Amino acid sequence: MPVTHTNTPAPLASTTPWQDKMQVWLPKLILSPTIVVTLICVYGFVIWTGLLSFTKSRFLPQFDFVGWRQYERLLNNDRWITACENLLIFGGLFIAICLLIGVLLAIFLDQKIQQEGMIRTIYLYPMALSFIVTGTAWKWILNPGLGLENLVHQMGFTDFKFDWLVNSDMAVYTLVIAAVWQSSGFVMALFLAGLRGIDSSIINAAQIDGASKPRIYWSIILPCLRPVFFSAIIILSHLAIKSFDLVTALTSGGPGYSSDLPALFMYSHSFTRGQMGLGAASAIMMLAGILAILVPYLYSELRGKRNA
Amino acid sequence: MKLKTLFLAMTFAAGSATAGEVEVLHWWTSGGEAKSVAVLKQMMEQQGHSWKDFAVAGGGGESAMTVLKTRVVSGNAPTAAQIKGHDIQEWAELDYLANLDTVAKKEGWEQSVPSVVTDIMKYDSHYVAVPVNVHRVNWLWANPAAFKKAGATIPTNLDEFFVAADKLKAAGIIPLAQGGQPWQEATLFEAVALEILGSADYRKAFVDHDMAVLKGKKMVEALTIFKKMKGYTDQAASGRDWNIATNMVITGQAGMQIMGDWAKGEFIAAGKKPGVDFVCVPAPGTQGQFTFNVDSFAMFKQKDKGAMAAQNDLAKTILTPEFQEVFNLNKGSIPVRTDMDLSKFDQCALDSMDTFKASATSGDLVPSFAHGMATTSAIQGAMYDVLTNYYNSDNISAQDTANLLADVVEDAM
């Protein structure tokens, strides 16, 4: 037995620990640059911004700490309040309308119609455009002197009025129109994929039980799509919160600052107005807002999944 | 400080013999402006220095400023950067700017440039920047053909302005071409406020930030007239650029525009003649008053001796009558030197120069707050917000706006 004893375990003994080590370390090694970059560029800069928000930095970063002063100024700032209200209006309507249109389109497309591929592409195409293009195009369409209103006037209906873009009470809704136009096709694609993934035997069973079609959709299919709703809401809400290019192109926050959004506020105060402290405070407030909404939602959704 | 001055003096004494490189950050990239910069480059190269162009286009310099901040913070400042108005003070306060006293003294800037302008170029009474040109902001540009068609006369005061505007409106012409951007609205308001408040109170409100004047009766009156003017603009103004608005006056689609003299460049570029195809008159009621907007180059501290010499030569060159003439002919503005031969300039520029000289002594030469001359960018931004919100919203009264104006200015101070 001395031969086998020395021969067989020898290669095992020399390779296994090395392979084991590799198996343990290789993924970590490969992930580490990303982790370092993320730590510095995301969390590091979040902390850096947080620090700046407690200083009186104006033009360039400086470190004279002033406590909560920048936050007080922010909450007294009429433009900031308007921007936050706009975000609620814009975000709420954008998410709700996109979901509604997306689900409906997906259900209609799912009825095994002809030319589905082509129709799907038509609805999905706006997503391929950048928000800057969408914003500029809608700016022309909605401009009363150039676009829709002018067109209808030329057709002879001179009483027609559609001046939302230049009306400070309505300008924020034009953002909703443009954003919904761009994103609802994408939501449709998400739901379509979800619908295709539902086991048809459940639906067949319901049909045998005599359930009507709306009833099947409402009580069986939509509840099955819960994970799709989850992803759609997460994607849409981050689109809404970081929305910057669309506002810049469509209204530039105007008329006045009536369609301003927090991201625009942050940019203009930090980088063009030399109020870096105030800008940093607004960035931290945005972060806090996102966390306050998303963390409980993520928590409840992910925990629900684990239990199920 | 003495040592530094001495050191600077020594490098300057070495003078043009030491050649260096100048890197100039600017955002003059369009037509006439680019031509003007090319002239400066040529003049510097004639003196044996090399020129490194650092042009960052777009956004009225916003993108350029972002680049500049990054460069300066990383310890790699350019020789000179196009920085104007109150921002010069901010940069100097952070101790990034070079001292130009020696070259200023040698070239006699004090004698040739009005003190209102040189004050902006100094920090702690030392020169840190060089003025390039003077824009007059309170101009009214009018299309005489449109006025003739409407049977109106070109207004010289606010009452006449509204009479003329009504006639233009009746003739189907947009009376006032306006672009819906906060700085353009502030430019319009500034012209009205200058007339209603007068030069002294204008200064109190927008330079010294006297709360009583900011929320005073006159301010409310100025705001009311400002809002009344909106009724004479067209609806599609929202987000429109200034040059598009100027173009409306050029084509006769609109009758008038209240805008600084950079608008002249648009008329000239369209082949129009001053006094014939278009008319320049002071904004209603502001004859003899002059809201100035001065472009300037701030000079950053340099480590290299050759670069310092080149920097001083750059400063000197910018204020030479030769460069001032070529540059301002291209740019539509007037020279900052008051001792120059102006025979090549047109009537608008000559009028501007006369008023500039006269108002410099009468106290009617005031800094434009809409163009960063009067106050910090923080206060300017806060005032923009209040004004644009008032102009565009129907839910806020003139009195509330005046109170708000005082509040935001106090907060941003």
Side-chain angles (χ1 to χ4, degrees), chain B residues 140 146-147 150-171 173-176 232 255-256:
Chain B
L140 176 94
F147 272 78
T153 48
I154 289 167
T156 55
N157 60 41
L158 282 168
D159 291 335
E160 288 177 25
F161 173 87
F162 287 111
V163 172
D166 280 327
K167 283 188 181 163
L168 285 164
K169 205 175 187 178
I173 298 165
I174 300 164
L176 186 64
Y232 294 93
M256 306 175 268

Side-chain angles (χ1 to χ4, degrees), chain B residues 1-7:
Chain B
M1 205 68 215
K2 253 185 197 160
L3 198 74
K4 198 161 79 184
T5 325
L6 187 72
F7 184 54

Side-chain angles (χ1 to χ4, degrees), chain B residues 15 54 184 227 262 317:
Chain B
F54 183 13
Q184 296 186 54
K227 188 67 176 271
W262 46 92
T317 311

Side-chain angles (χ1 to χ4, degrees), chain B residues 167-405:
Chain B
K167 283 188 181 163
L168 285 164
K169 205 175 187 178
I173 298 165
I174 300 164
L176 186 64
Q178 178 70 20
Q181 292 170 339
W183 72 266
Q184 296 186 54
E185 287 152 7
T187 302
L188 178 64
F189 174 69
E190 184 178 88
V192 177
L194 183 63
E195 148 69 352
I196 302 290
L197 298 174
S199 304
D201 272 1
Y202 175 96
R203 215 179 271 277
K204 270 189 201 160
F206 300 117
V207 183
D208 308 331
H209 305 307
D210 182 329
M211 292 301 142
V213 181
L214 274 170
K215 52 182 155 189
K217 232 168 129 184
K218 288 250 181 85
M219 188 62 79
V220 177
E221 192 189 337
L223 284 164
T224 313
I225 293 172
F226 171 53
K227 188 67 176 271
K228 191 178 168 193
M229 285 184 167
K230 193 192 175 197
Y232 294 93
T233 62
D234 64 319
Q235 260 212 324
S238 184
R240 177 189 287 151
D241 284 318
W242 67 270
N243 50 341
I244 311 281
T246 309
N247 199 50
M248 290 165 63
V249 180
I250 294 175
T251 57
Q253 194 191 345
M256 306 175 268
Q257 182 184 20
I258 291 178
M259 186 47 67
D261 51 17
W262 46 92
K264 192 172 73 186
E266 297 292 309
F267 284 99
I268 304 284
K272 304 288 176 188
K273 285 202 179 64
V276 184
D277 302 312
F278 69 95
V279 179
C280 53
V281 290
T286 61
Q287 286 79 1
Q289 290 170 299
F290 194 111
T291 345
F292 68 86
N293 176 14
V294 177
D295 284 318
S296 50
F297 280 112
M299 301 290 173
F300 283 86
K301 282 185 180 164
Q302 299 295 313
K303 293 189 198 91
D304 180 57
K305 270 191 186 180
M308 278 189 219
Q311 186 176 53
N312 276 314
D313 280 353
L314 176 68
K316 187 181 80 183
T317 311
I318 288 172
L319 270 177
T320 53
E322 298 78 46
F323 177 71
Q324 286 284 315
E325 180 178 279
V326 182
F327 182 87
N328 287 300
L329 281 172
N330 281 326
K331 185 88 163 56
S333 42
I334 58 167
V336 278
R337 297 181 72 110
T338 47
D339 55 355
M340 274 177 55
D341 170 35
L342 292 175
S343 51
K344 286 189 186 160
F345 286 83
D346 63 28
Q347 195 55 46
C348 296
L350 294 177
D351 287 354
S352 189
M353 197 55 168
D354 287 344
T355 318
F356 182 55
K357 283 182 192 162
S359 61
T361 47
S362 71
D364 282 324
L365 183 62
V366 295
S368 156
F369 83 81
H371 296 275
M373 293 291 125
T375 184
T376 62
S377 48
I379 297 178
Q380 180 192 345
M383 292 198 293
Y384 272 13
D385 280 350
V386 172
L387 290 172
T388 186
N389 189 44
Y390 166 72
Y391 183 79
N392 287 294
S393 161
D394 297 327
N395 309 329
I396 182 161
S397 74
Q399 181 64 61
D400 290 346
T401 306
N403 293 340
L404 194 59
L405 199 61

